[in-house]
């Protein structure tokens, strides 16, 4: 009997990331499903997956974290798996037999996991769509033409491997089969045909999973530190200590120090000028520091990243230690490169990172640190709208057309609404009428001008003893900052709604992680607690999270 149930097209998307092409394809599928009385699901979505606004806006679309096995546990016979290895081709009669058409396997894994064969083994009946590979939206379109439009597969007009022309000088051959449109051209998502910008979304979203990272700090200084952080399975990205292009910060161990302290008693560790992991009294959960920036220039960090990724992401050989699974996870683990300097230096840093990004197999992001409280006579620029605008203007000049490296700002803790306004107004003004180019805000850095007196009443740090405070004593202020910044970004949806917040400040354990997520942090950073506990802080949080990030 002919089925009258509306058709549902399901694409399995197991990757926390969504490339710009896929986003356009999904929007096209959603809109065409809507026009044809069908539904479109993305299933098996990882919790970190951010559904793009353009997709959410189409009523026919549903985002599902469950897999098809679960959704149709009792009704597998309604589901048809589009499977290149199936025995028979899809036919118009299949529109009567099945209500759900499943496209398995948009996977982040490299080498690709054969999700279609996994689903096949689970008993979903399969049909073929022909010998030539199609884009995802084409595969759904062809299926719809067959099962809803009742056109046999071999009667559909196709265009194989068409040239996509960008302008009179540039074109590229598309390695897929497309459906021929009424105008004789291949049917593609709207903007694919008109602009090369589609190859990148602007600005690029920050996709970090698990959403737990180290913040920029002294325990991310050396190549050994960075390698350990890169290999740590409980974190989703590595942040480098802040560096300056071509400049080694003049680190002076007699002036630049840090200590951990108990925020109630002020019992503290001896100040340490070396960026080493100190094992301390567990009640010393706060930190105070007079450090400036890394004694190593940006170029050194970029060479470290090249070295680490070459060592761990080259194709596995019998002697290499990384399995293909580890390699595929690590290739989506970004390095967030923390930089600072004058607006010109920061723009040049961005240019350099952009250049290097094409030479390394992992995503690179730039975090512009505008918030260190410890530089004499240099107030953190992020407290001032005009200073922020100078940076935002210069960096804009450095951003290329097309593919680009995501960038964000590291901001200090703000303590009243006028300070938040300086930030938001600067971002808004920089964005003009369009979407801001900024991808993320990292809040917060340390709180300046704090003083710790030990149990004998002596200041713990050198000089005036004043320094940037962090750790548990900063946590309530950092939470408040993340909450306010998220709300203010959301208030300006069109220009700033897409900006992610990386929440940092006093996250010492699972409780801190959860609180940060609750107030709107998409990703959570850890500084002081990494110094206190070492890498085990990440494993501890991951264990507590128990899969529910
Ligand atoms: C000793 C020390 C050095 C730091 N150095 C940097 C730095 O170079 N760049 C930066 O952006 N933040 C730096 N921070 C700030 C941290 O990244 C983080 O924003 C802040 O400490 C709050 O997080 P926490 O409470 O988890 O430490 C430093 C923090 C500490 C404790």
């Amino acid at each position: 009997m002919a089925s009258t149930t509306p058709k549902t097209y399901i694409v399995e998307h197991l990757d926390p990331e969504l490339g710009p092409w896929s986003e356009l394809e999904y929007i096209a599928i959603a809109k065409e499903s809507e026009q044809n009385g069908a539904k479109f699901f993305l299933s098996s979505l990882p919790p970190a997956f951010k559904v793009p606004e353009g997709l959410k806006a189409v009523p026919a679309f549903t985002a599902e974290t469950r897999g098809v096995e679960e959704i149709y546990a009792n009704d597998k016979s309604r589901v048809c798996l589009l499977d290149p290895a199936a025995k028979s081709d899809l036919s118009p009669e299949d529109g009567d037999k099945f209500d759900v058409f499943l496209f398995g396997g948009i996977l982040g894994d490299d080498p690709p996991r054969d999700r279609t064969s996994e689903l096949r083994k689970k008993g979903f009946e399969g049909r073929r769509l022909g010998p030539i590979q199609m884009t995802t939206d084409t595969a759904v379109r062809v299926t719809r033409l067959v099962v809803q439009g009742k056109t046999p597969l071999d009667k559909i007009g196709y265009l194989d491997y068409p040239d996509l022309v960008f302008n009179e000088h540039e074109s590229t051959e598309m390695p897929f089969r497309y459906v021929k449109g009424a105008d004789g051209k291949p049917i593609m998502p709207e903007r694919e045909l008109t602009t090369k910008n589609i190859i990148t979304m602007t600005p690029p979203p920050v996709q970090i999973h698990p959403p737990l990272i180290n913040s920029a700090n002294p325990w991310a200084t050396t190549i050994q530190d960075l390698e350990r952080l890169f290999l740590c399975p409980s974190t989703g990205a590595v942040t480098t200590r802040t560096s300056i292009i071509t400049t080694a910060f003049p680190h002076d161990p007699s002036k630049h120090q840090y200590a951990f302290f108990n925020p109630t008693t002020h019992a503290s560790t001896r100040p340490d000028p070396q960026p080493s992991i100190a094992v301390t009294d567990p009640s010393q959960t706060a930190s105070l520091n007079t450090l400036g920036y890394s004694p190593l220039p940006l170029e050194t960090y970029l060479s470290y990243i090249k070295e680490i990724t070459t060592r761990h992401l080259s194709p596995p050989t019998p002697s290499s230690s990384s399995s293909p699974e580890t390699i595929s996870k690590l290739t989506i683990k970004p390095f967030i490169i923390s930089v600072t300097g004058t607006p010109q230096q920061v723009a040049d840093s961005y240019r350099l990172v952009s250049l290097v990004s094409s030479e390394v197999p992992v995503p690179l992001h730039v975090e512009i640190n505008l918030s260190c409280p410890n530089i004499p006579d240099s107030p953190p620029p992020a407290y001032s709208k005009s200073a922020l605008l100078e940076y935002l203007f210069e960096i804009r000049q450095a951003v290329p057309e097309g593919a680009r490296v995501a960038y964000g700002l590291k901001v200090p803790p703000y303590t009243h609404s006028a300070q938040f306004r300086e930030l938001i107004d600067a971002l808004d003004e920089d964005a003009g009428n369009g979407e801001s180019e900024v991808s993320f805000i990292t809040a917060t850095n340390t709180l300046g001008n704090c003083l710790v007196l030990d149990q004998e009443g002596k200041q713990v740090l050198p000089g005036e003893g004043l320094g940037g405070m962090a750790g548990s004593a900063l946590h309530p202020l950092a939470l408040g900052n993340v909450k306010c910044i998220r709300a203010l970004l959301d208030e300006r949806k069109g220009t700033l709604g897409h900006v992610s917040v990386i929440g940092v400040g006093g996250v010492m354990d699972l409780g801190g992680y959860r609180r940060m997520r609750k107030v709107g942090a998409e990703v959570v950073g850890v500084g002081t607690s990494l110094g206190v506990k070492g890498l085990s802080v990440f494993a501890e949080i991951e264990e507590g999270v128990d899969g529910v990030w």
Side-chain angles (χ1 to χ4, degrees):
M1 205 179 73
S3 164
T4 51
T5 313
K7 302 294 176 230
T8 300
Y9 300 98
I10 301 187
V11 174
E12 288 245 295
H13 187 103
L14 286 84
D15 190 339
E17 303 214 13
L18 176 63
W21 285 78
S22 301
E23 177 176 341
L24 292 173
E25 290 180 353
Y26 291 163
I27 292 173
I29 298 171
K31 285 187 180 162
E32 289 175 29
S33 299
E34 178 80 22
Q35 286 155 10
N36 289 282
K39 291 190 233 156
F40 171 47
F41 281 37
L42 286 180
S43 67
S44 299
L45 288 172
F49 184 86
K50 199 169 162 190
V51 181
E53 292 302 321
L55 199 51
K56 263 191 219 160
V58 187
F61 172 72
T62 303
E64 255 298 348
T65 48
R66 290 178 302 165
V68 207
E69 301 96 313
E70 206 184 323
I71 309 173
Y72 294 99
N74 301 321
D75 216 356
K76 267 190 197 150
S77 63
R78 291 173 56 205
V79 182
C80 171
L81 174 68
L82 282 305
D83 177 0
K87 292 200 174 62
S88 39
D89 284 342
L90 187 73
S91 71
E93 295 72 48
D94 289 321
D96 301 329
K97 183 163 182 203
F98 302 106
D99 301 320
V100 180
F101 296 87
L102 171 60
F103 302 78
I106 307 300
L107 302 179
D109 300 11
D110 182 19
R113 203 171 112 199
D114 190 356
R115 175 73 178 151
T116 306
S117 98
E118 287 175 20
L119 290 165
R120 187 187 312 135
K121 282 184 203 134
K122 289 193 172 149
F124 290 103
E125 199 172 328
R127 293 287 187 270
R128 260 189 330 241
L129 279 181
I132 300 180
Q133 193 175 351
M134 300 174 185
T135 58
T136 310
D137 61 307
T138 305
V140 176
R141 192 170 294 121
V142 167
T143 304
R144 197 188 56 247
L145 288 170
V146 175
V147 300
Q148 290 188 250
K150 303 291 177 201
T151 308
L153 205 52
D154 58 0
K155 296 284 176 294
I156 294 174
Y158 298 110
L159 281 171
D160 296 336
Y161 314 124
D163 275 335
L164 181 53
V165 179
F166 298 121
N167 57 44
E168 59 180 304
H169 305 294
E170 286 179 281
S171 68
T172 188
E173 188 185 276
M174 305 301 285
F176 301 108
R177 162 168 281 187
Y178 291 87
V179 174
K180 195 197 276 185
D183 56 1
K185 293 187 180 152
I187 302 181
M188 292 181 183
E190 276 159 35
R191 281 183 293 165
E192 276 189 29
L193 282 171
T194 52
T195 162
K196 206 174 169 183
N197 268 350
I198 46 95
I199 293 167
T200 58
M201 293 297 284
T202 52
V206 171
Q207 283 161 336
I208 295 176
H209 191 78
L212 178 64
I213 62 174
N214 69 292
S215 70
N217 61 47
W219 308 286
T221 300
T222 64
I223 188 165
Q224 291 81 6
D225 293 334
L226 297 176
E227 185 166 33
R228 274 194 293 265
L229 287 161
F230 185 57
L231 297 179
C232 173
S234 310
T235 56
V238 179
T239 313
T240 64
R241 187 176 182 186
T242 304
S243 63
I244 307 170
I245 191 164
T246 62
T247 308
F249 179 80
H251 178 80
D252 176 348
S254 68
K255 288 192 201 147
H256 302 119
Q257 302 185 358
Y258 69 88
F260 299 113
F261 67 95
N262 175 326
T264 311
T265 63
H266 281 213
S268 52
T269 57
R270 276 188 331 112
D272 189 348
Q274 288 306 319
S276 58
I277 293 190
V279 179
T280 59
D281 171 351
S283 72
Q284 292 170 347
T285 53
S287 64
L288 190 73
N289 85 84
T290 53
L291 297 180
Y293 304 115
S294 177
L296 307 173
L298 171 64
E299 290 81 347
T300 304
Y301 283 104
L302 294 173
S303 72
Y304 285 173
I305 292 168
K306 279 191 199 165
E307 197 176 325
I308 293 169
T309 52
T310 307
R311 196 175 303 152
H312 295 284
L313 297 181
S314 306
T317 60
S319 60
S320 79
S321 53
S322 309
S323 67
E325 290 72 29
T326 311
I327 291 181
S328 66
K329 276 196 189 133
L330 290 177
T331 47
I332 56 164
K333 187 165 184 172
F335 274 88
I336 301 172
I337 301 165
S338 173
V339 299
T340 195
T342 63
Q344 190 57 51
Q345 282 174 315
V346 163
D348 287 343
S349 303
Y350 181 88
R351 288 189 183 94
L352 185 60
V353 174
S354 299
L355 261 176
V356 171
S357 72
S358 59
E359 297 165 21
V360 293
V362 293
L364 301 183
H365 303 329
V366 171
E367 182 174 274
I368 306 165
N369 179 1
L370 300 181
S371 47
C372 180
N374 298 340
I375 311 297
D377 306 322
S378 293
Y383 282 115
S384 145
K385 177 181 164 189
S386 60
L388 278 165
L389 277 170
E390 278 183 49
Y391 280 90
L392 290 168
F393 175 79
E394 281 301 332
I395 197 156
R396 221 170 224 290
Q397 316 307 309
V399 173
E401 278 289 312
R404 75 217 15 218
V405 161
Y407 68 91
L409 307 181
K410 173 96 175 255
V411 298
Y414 298 119
T415 55
H416 72 90
S417 57
Q419 293 176 328
F420 288 105
R421 285 270 147 233
E422 297 283 302
L423 169 70
I424 298 297
D425 288 350
L427 291 171
D428 211 30
E429 194 168 315
D430 174 63
N433 293 327
E435 219 181 17
S436 167
E437 288 280 348
V438 174
S439 294
F440 63 97
I441 299 289
T442 306
T444 73
N445 209 316
T446 57
L447 180 65
N449 283 292
C450 294
L451 179 63
V452 175
L453 301 178
D454 69 14
Q455 285 166 317
E456 286 151 22
K458 281 201 225 122
Q459 66 186 48
V460 168
L461 291 187
E464 295 296 312
L466 300 171
M469 186 194 64
S472 60
L474 182 68
H475 190 52
L477 184 57
L479 282 179
N481 271 249
V482 169
K483 183 178 165 142
C484 288
I485 291 172
R486 183 68 270 160
L488 290 166
L489 293 171
D490 288 342
E491 258 176 31
R492 317 219 174 167
K493 245 195 166 15
T495 43
L496 303 178
H498 66 281
V499 178
S500 300
V501 179
I502 301 182
V504 191
V507 173
M508 314 303 290
D509 51 23
L510 176 67
Y513 168 85
R514 288 251 192 265
R515 285 187 288 274
M516 271 296 177
R517 295 280 283 155
K518 183 158 188 189
V519 294
E522 221 161 275
V523 176
V524 176
V526 176
T528 300
S529 195
L530 173 61
V532 174
K533 299 182 182 175
L535 287 176
S536 67
V537 63
F538 299 123
E540 176 194 322
I541 293 174
E542 185 184 24
E543 213 177 296
V545 157
D546 198 18
V548 187
W549 286 100

